[in-house]
Amino acid sequence: MNIAILSRLPHLYSTRRLVEAAQQRGHSVKVVDTLRCYMNITSKNPEVHYGGKKLDHIDAVIPRIGASITFYGTAVVRQFEMMGVFTLNESVAISRSRDKLRSLQLLARKGIGMPITGFSRSPDDVRDLIKIASGAPLVIKLIEGTQGIGVVLAETTKAAESVIEAFMGLKANIMVQEYIKEASGEDIRCFVIGDRVVAAMKRKAKEGEFRSNLHRGGSAELIKITAEERKTAVKAANAMGLNVAGVDILRSSRGPLVVEVNSSPGLEGIEKATGEDIASMIIEFIEKNQHSMKTKTKGKG
Ligand code: ADP
Ligand code: MG
């Protein structure tokens, strides 16, 4: 196969590993800088161009779209879909996963467990909003934040009110969430490919921190997950329409709660923590599905 990896950073661990795995399995692979792709939008012959040439004869695309370039990145992925090229994750699924509120609404529709979450626009409703999210302590999140940035724990109602009002004053979209104490600074990252959790790791926040993101100094280790956690993770990825996803789960007294579904999950943390060759599993998934599935949405958005 000819595989194109959409990535801004060819030297990044995840990109390097995917290139390696594709080559090892006998494929030809090219790393393409997403922001340097340009396209002609026509009804007959949609094309993607790169460095003065048409990108053609591509059998599959692996999108690794960073949060900061979601808008342009999903447009490039959509263009490939319009050309009938198989994309590992489709543009519409990537867009869904980037909006925390939309993601939670989709998960809720499928009956998947999640922390109680409130959302409002007006500072006048702050008090009631806090009540909805079961009162302080509670977590306030920027809707489009990543890597733990924009996730705040407010210990008291007063603190929560101030933070919410400050965010609203800055016209930031936020949601307010029940704080899951029992998780005690830990979450579980489940790496889903297709209908399977292929690896899982426990991430633990550093001392004095409640966010377990590795970017916030958290540490990772191998963990055995329960059948219920496995089922929840796969269901969450399916609800978003993602073939490959990193599903983050908190262990609570009422079972697994999904906090986030990531559409470009990093490989470094999970491969190092579990010793699994996830990159090869991704390539294998593409080999198996590239023909039969083609693209589901054909760029419908
Ligand atoms: P980001 O997209 O920035 O990673 P998350 O929603 O995943 O934001 O939150 C970051 C981390 O904060 C999570 O991995 C988890 O450890 C912690 N966290 C998030 N929401 C809650 C919550 N409601 N209760 C307890 N801990 C939480
Ligand atoms: Mg997260």
Side-chain angles (χ1 to χ4, degrees):
M1 276 190 297
N2 278 321
I3 301 176
I5 302 176
L6 293 179
S7 166
R8 299 230 59 210
L9 302 159
H11 302 299
L12 216 65
Y13 180 94
S14 303
T15 316
R16 275 195 288 113
R17 287 284 300 121
L18 287 164
V19 168
E20 235 171 66
Q23 284 170 344
Q24 261 165 22
R25 298 184 66 87
H27 304 296
S28 150
V29 58
K30 183 178 172 120
V31 179
V32 171
D33 179 348
T34 321
L35 293 187
R36 296 296 305 275
C37 290
Y38 48 104
M39 44 218 144
N40 70 334
I41 303 177
T42 65
S43 42
K44 286 229 174 71
N45 246 329
E47 294 170 348
V48 174
H49 290 247
Y50 189 68
K53 287 200 201 102
K54 199 160 89 178
L55 270 183
D56 50 11
H57 307 301
I58 290 179
D59 304 300
V61 164
I62 303 178
R64 304 278 320 169
I65 310 291
S68 60
I69 63 154
T70 302
F71 177 74
Y72 198 80
T74 49
V76 175
V77 176
R78 201 178 306 118
Q79 186 83 354
F80 279 110
E81 289 160 15
M82 286 164 65
M83 292 158 59
V85 176
F86 174 79
T87 60
L88 181 60
N89 278 332
E90 296 201 1
S91 55
V92 61
I94 298 170
S95 305
R96 283 178 194 135
S97 75
R98 285 293 151 79
D99 176 339
K100 290 191 179 190
L101 196 64
R102 184 177 179 191
S103 308
L104 289 181
Q105 285 173 325
L106 288 168
L107 299 177
R109 268 184 65 213
K110 298 280 178 192
I112 296 165
M114 66 186 69
I116 300 170
T117 304
F119 176 64
S120 90
R121 187 55 207 267
S122 160
D124 297 338
D125 303 318
V126 166
R127 272 168 187 256
D128 207 28
L129 188 66
I130 291 174
K131 255 194 246 150
I132 290 175
S134 65
L138 50 78
V139 177
I140 300 151
K141 293 186 187 181
L142 288 175
I143 301 277
E144 291 184 8
T146 64
Q147 303 183 346
I149 298 166
V151 178
V152 179
L153 174 62
E155 312 255 6
T156 65
T157 306
K158 266 264 125 335
E161 277 176 14
S162 315
V163 174
I164 296 170
E165 278 163 14
F167 276 146
M168 283 180 169
L170 292 169
K171 307 259 180 278
N173 283 316
I174 52 152
M175 62 193 198
V176 173
Q177 202 164 69
E178 164 196 18
Y179 175 54
I180 308 300
K181 265 198 299 300
E182 314 91 274
S184 48
E186 293 181 1
D187 76 353
I188 300 169
R189 159 61 59 95
C190 300
F191 205 103
V192 178
I193 303 180
D195 284 327
R196 240 160 41 88
V197 176
V198 297
M201 64 175 168
K202 181 168 86 175
R203 297 181 302 190
K204 190 165 180 40
K206 67 175 184 208
E207 188 68 31
E209 173 61 71
F210 80 104
R211 297 167 299 179
S212 56
N213 301 66
L214 302 183
H215 284 101
R216 303 270 71 74
S219 56
E221 62 182 75
L222 183 70
I223 191 184
K224 203 169 155 34
I225 59 170
T226 66
E228 193 190 8
E229 287 162 351
R230 219 166 256 286
K231 220 171 100 194
T232 303
V234 171
K235 216 168 151 188
N238 285 344
M240 309 296 293
L242 291 167
N243 291 319
V244 168
V247 181
D248 295 344
I249 286 178
L250 298 180
R251 278 187 168 160
S252 82
S253 49
R254 59 175 196 275
L257 304 178
V258 174
V259 275
E260 196 181 17
V261 184
N262 209 299
S263 55
S264 290
L267 297 185
E268 186 166 12
I270 191 96
E271 284 198 338
K272 289 189 173 160
T274 63
E276 297 284 351
D277 181 356
I278 314 260
S280 292
M281 295 185 204
I282 291 176
I283 303 298
E284 213 182 318
F285 177 86
I286 297 173
E287 289 165 3
K288 287 204 183 109
N289 293 282
Q290 176 253 341
H291 282 297
S292 54
M293 282 168 52
K294 278 295 176 188
T295 153
K296 275 182 271 183
T297 51
K298 295 202 176 58
K300 264 190 267 177

